[in-house]
Amino acid sequence: MSLDIFRLDGKVALITGGNRGIGLATAKLFGEAGAKCLLSARSETDESRALCEGENFAFVPGDITDPATPGKLVDATMEKFGRLDVLVNNAGVADGGDFHNFDDERLDRIMSTNLIAPFRVARACIRPMLDQGAGSIVNIGSISGYVANKPQLQVAYNSSKAAIHQMTAVMAFEYASRGIRVNALAPGYIRTRMAIDGMEDPAMSKVWQENTPMGRFGEPEEMASCALFLASDAASYVTGATLVADGGYITH
Ligand code: NDP
């Protein structure tokens, strides 16, 4: 046994939502671990553009809610890097408000981005993984898949993330005997664009921190290390799991 089981040398990863936040931090760490990475989001950022100047990274723009995008991303990964070993199914959006006022347009945006698109992306990635007889999928869920957040109201978001955890378990069951592991990562409050408005709102931030036993928010890099564990051979006997990384948020 050596620490090399945490490395991804020779492996190729597709990371959705790779232009910032948890996805970008994961891409950087995967690169350090020896992987080649294809990143996607609707548009590049300065940071993802700089990263993709390196030969082991590429960026392909796309709206993940377009049914054609998942197949295009898999084709681009195969064309650029010749294989596909790891999917980090990470792109997502948050939205909230009173349940009884949450209109169809907002409901559709949440579900199409956070549930339907990750389903399609995983489905597209399974095919080359089956051909290779191996693969690892890391779906990004959330503590919101377990608890009601407070103080903000967000039934649709929480429902979409609970569904991701269950999709993970049932996919893992289906593909366990064919060399493909499927796990989820459930972050707590992580300092990214998605959560930054709440973190900068003193009242909201106070409630979030008081409900986090560690008393602080998480950093994207702390999610990247969890994703690396799940993606790598270090987790060779782990499938169907949801790894909660939340500073203790859901312990109470
Ligand atoms: P960010 O808002 O920084 O990242 C979201 C990513 O998703 C961006 O890369 C964004 O790119 C991409 N994305 C959103 N919509 C689309 C779309 N229609 N098509 C393609 N890409 C899209 O937030 P995080 O890094 O925090 O979010 C990453 C994941 O982590 C999400 O699934 C989120 O739900 C989850 N999470 C985050 C938590 C937190 O506290 N931050 C807590 C729990 C879970 P672009 O908009 O340019 O397309």
Side-chain angles (χ1 to χ4, degrees):
M1 177 75 73
S2 117
L3 278 175
D4 285 352
I5 56 173
F6 287 92
R7 292 196 56 82
L8 296 174
D9 298 297
K11 301 255 173 82
V12 173
L14 168 59
I15 303 174
T16 67
N19 64 352
R20 61 174 192 259
I22 293 170
L24 182 70
T26 300
K28 287 180 179 170
L29 190 64
F30 278 23
E32 282 188 39
K36 295 176 179 171
C37 301
L38 189 124
L39 318 184
S40 187
R42 284 168 295 190
S43 57
E44 279 187 283
T45 60
D46 289 347
E47 267 195 294
S48 63
R49 196 173 294 111
L51 188 66
C52 292
E53 280 167 9
E55 62 180 21
N56 290 338
F57 296 92
F59 187 89
V60 174
D63 185 332
I64 210 77
T65 63
D66 178 343
T69 300
K72 284 183 189 162
L73 296 181
V74 171
D75 289 350
T77 308
M78 298 302 284
E79 261 169 49
K80 173 80 182 164
F81 297 125
R83 52 186 298 117
L84 176 52
D85 303 285
V86 176
L87 164 65
V88 183
N89 216 353
N90 164 73
V93 287
D95 192 8
D98 293 338
F99 177 75
H100 54 278
N101 289 323
F102 204 76
D103 64 33
D104 280 349
E105 197 180 321
R106 294 164 75 194
L107 175 62
D108 185 60
R109 177 169 165 268
I110 286 288
M111 291 301 173
S112 60
T113 313
N114 293 2
L115 178 58
I116 306 294
F119 184 109
R120 290 192 181 121
V121 176
R123 187 178 60 190
C125 290
I126 282 282
R127 292 167 185 151
M129 289 178 177
L130 282 173
D131 292 343
Q132 291 166 194
S136 177
I137 293 177
V138 181
N139 295 316
I140 306 302
S142 172
I143 54 166
S144 304
Y146 290 110
V147 296
N149 296 74
K150 36 187 182 284
Q152 76 277 25
L153 305 169
Q154 42 182 50
V155 173
Y157 179 83
N158 291 38
S159 304
S160 73
K161 291 300 186 178
I164 287 293
H165 299 167
Q166 180 66 346
M167 182 179 94
T168 299
V170 182
M171 280 185 69
F173 176 79
E174 185 169 343
Y175 293 102
S177 62
R178 285 179 274 181
I180 301 170
R181 295 184 300 103
V182 187
N183 292 291
L185 172 61
Y189 286 102
I190 311 303
R191 201 181 304 279
T192 67
R193 188 186 298 181
M194 181 177 282
I196 202 68
D197 287 349
M199 288 175 182
E200 288 178 351
D201 176 308
M204 183 89 81
S205 181
K206 186 166 180 285
V207 177
W208 287 0
Q209 268 174 315
E210 280 174 357
N211 280 286
T212 304
M214 287 178 72
R216 67 169 178 86
F217 300 129
E219 300 299 330
E221 293 74 17
E222 294 179 289
M223 300 304 104
S225 55
C226 295
L228 176 60
F229 166 67
L230 292 173
S232 71
D233 289 344
S236 55
Y237 199 55
V238 182
T239 198
T242 296
L243 172 58
V244 179
D246 67 347
Y249 191 97
I250 67 162
T251 56
H252 61 103

